[in-house]
Amino acid sequence: MAEFSIIDQYFKRPSNVDVSLGIGDDSAIVTPPPAQQLVICTDTLVAGRHFPLNTSAHAIGWKSVAVNLSDLAAMGAKPHSILLALSLPTIDHEWLAEFSRGLFECCDQFGVSLIGGDTTQSTQLTMSVTALGWIEQGQAVTRAGAQVGDYICVSGQVGDAAFGLQHLGHPLQQRLDYPTPRCELGQQLKGLASSMIDVSDGLAQDLGHILKASNKGATLQLDQLPIDESLKSLETQKAWHYALAGGDDYELCFTISPQNYEKLLRQPLDVPLTIIGEITQQTGLLFEYMGETYPLHVHGYQHFA
């Protein structure tokens, strides 16, 4: 009965009013809003692969939710609920209490309910979260819409989490352990952004997904990258590596016409935005520094390496 005791003690609580049936049955039942489409994503975190083994349980709980909400944000969707599949080497009540506390703190901040999932024993600590969100019919922002002349923009700062991973104990470790999904910004970009992605595997690699899906190219201005003062104090190419290839930022990278960018700036925004480049006709990603072409080769996070 350990599985059900874990669920009852750490993960079962009342759901949002539009969840007809939540935790406690074979499946959950959710009533979709009228004229809305369901947006679904899933992410798996593996101990030692996606977070250091000594990461606090609270941070792991937060991050397991946040990285999925970031995927919903990248489509412009409003987050609704999650399902959790948790594999545990042992039943550690102190760890479970902190993990569930971090998970629910992230859920509560973004109005999300945990509506189901699974728990089991495994030799490896892993958690897979499936997130559900809603968006108006036909309003989802995909990767395949960038147009020549669009600005390339990114929210917040890039490179923080990668720097934090290499400098554990530094204040930027907070950005690694507690990423902020840009849910409000994602919803504000509906009808304005032409394409969008969240920066999970490195800015250059993720921007490359937009370029491939849109069949376009881009010029990226290296001197416009929004980076922390800690990165600015590094040798230039080292700072660029963190910003372009580090990953785990969970900021939004999007393309937008100059006219729509002006419309966006008329709204109250909860995160700074930076124009870092422009969409071009030629395929591929070119870098410029101080107005001159700069040869640079970067690779993002590899899930099999």
Side-chain angles (χ1 to χ4, degrees):
M1 293 298 292
E3 175 187 1
F4 304 107
S5 298
I6 290 172
I7 294 169
D8 287 340
Q9 184 170 350
Y10 298 107
F11 299 110
K12 191 172 184 178
R13 67 177 193 174
S15 301
N16 291 340
V17 293
D18 56 351
V19 177
S20 303
L21 184 63
I23 293 174
D25 218 303
D26 290 317
S27 299
I29 301 174
V30 177
T31 303
Q36 300 272 310
Q37 290 179 296
L38 177 62
V39 183
I40 311 167
C41 63
T42 191
D43 242 316
T44 297
L45 299 182
V46 179
R49 177 70 176 169
H50 297 102
F51 53 86
L53 293 174
N54 62 350
T55 302
S56 74
H58 184 276
I60 297 169
W62 173 281
K63 189 169 186 175
S64 65
V65 178
V67 300
N68 282 274
L69 300 189
S70 181
D71 280 331
L72 294 181
M75 305 289 287
K78 181 179 181 180
H80 176 270
S81 51
I82 62 167
L83 299 107
L84 168 69
L86 181 62
S87 299
L88 298 166
T90 60
I91 297 175
D92 181 333
H93 290 283
E94 182 178 351
W95 188 94
L96 282 164
E98 282 300 290
F99 173 81
S100 61
R101 188 170 69 88
L103 180 142
F104 282 123
E105 283 185 10
C106 190
C107 285
D108 290 345
Q109 182 165 326
F110 296 97
V112 169
S113 292
L114 174 63
I115 60 172
D118 189 32
T119 57
T120 190
Q121 187 171 25
S122 170
T123 57
Q124 187 83 9
L125 172 64
T126 65
M127 56 285 306
S128 294
V129 170
T130 298
L132 313 176
W134 305 112
I135 196 164
E136 295 85 354
Q137 188 85 25
Q139 289 294 301
V141 185
T142 70
R143 301 175 182 181
Q147 300 297 314
V148 174
D150 282 352
Y151 293 151
I152 302 167
C153 302
V154 68
S155 64
Q157 296 181 168
V158 287
D160 291 359
F163 183 90
L165 178 61
Q166 296 300 318
H167 301 82
L168 297 178
H170 188 278
L172 287 182
Q173 185 184 343
Q174 185 80 1
R175 291 269 286 144
L176 171 71
D177 292 344
Y178 293 93
T180 303
R182 303 302 182 184
C183 297
E184 182 175 344
L185 175 62
Q187 293 169 69
Q188 289 175 301
L189 284 164
K190 290 182 299 184
L192 295 177
S194 54
S195 67
M196 185 155 54
I197 192 169
D198 76 322
V199 182
S200 56
D201 295 334
L203 176 60
Q205 181 167 294
D206 289 324
L207 175 57
H209 295 319
I210 285 180
L211 302 182
K212 182 178 180 181
S214 301
N215 194 28
K216 296 293 187 296
T219 301
L220 191 148
Q221 305 297 329
L222 294 168
D223 49 313
Q224 296 302 313
L225 292 172
I227 59 175
D228 189 80
E229 292 298 325
S230 298
L231 276 69
K232 291 178 182 178
S233 67
L234 302 174
E235 188 272 328
T236 304
Q237 293 214 10
K238 184 68 172 177
W240 289 342
H241 176 79
Y242 282 127
L244 295 170
D248 252 6
D249 292 307
Y250 300 101
E251 297 293 347
L252 293 182
C253 176
F254 60 94
T255 61
I256 188 169
S257 70
Q259 297 83 0
N260 282 349
Y261 186 72
E262 292 302 318
K263 292 179 183 177
L264 177 64
L265 293 185
R266 295 184 197 126
Q267 303 181 48
L269 302 171
D270 66 351
V271 60
L273 304 179
T274 305
I275 300 171
I276 59 171
E278 183 175 319
I279 295 295
T280 59
Q281 186 60 62
Q282 93 285 344
T283 57
L285 177 59
L286 298 179
F287 298 99
E288 289 187 357
Y289 180 62
M290 306 298 288
E292 300 290 336
T293 300
Y294 194 98
L296 188 66
H297 300 282
V298 292
H299 301 282
Y301 179 79
Q302 302 299 310
H303 292 265
F304 291 88

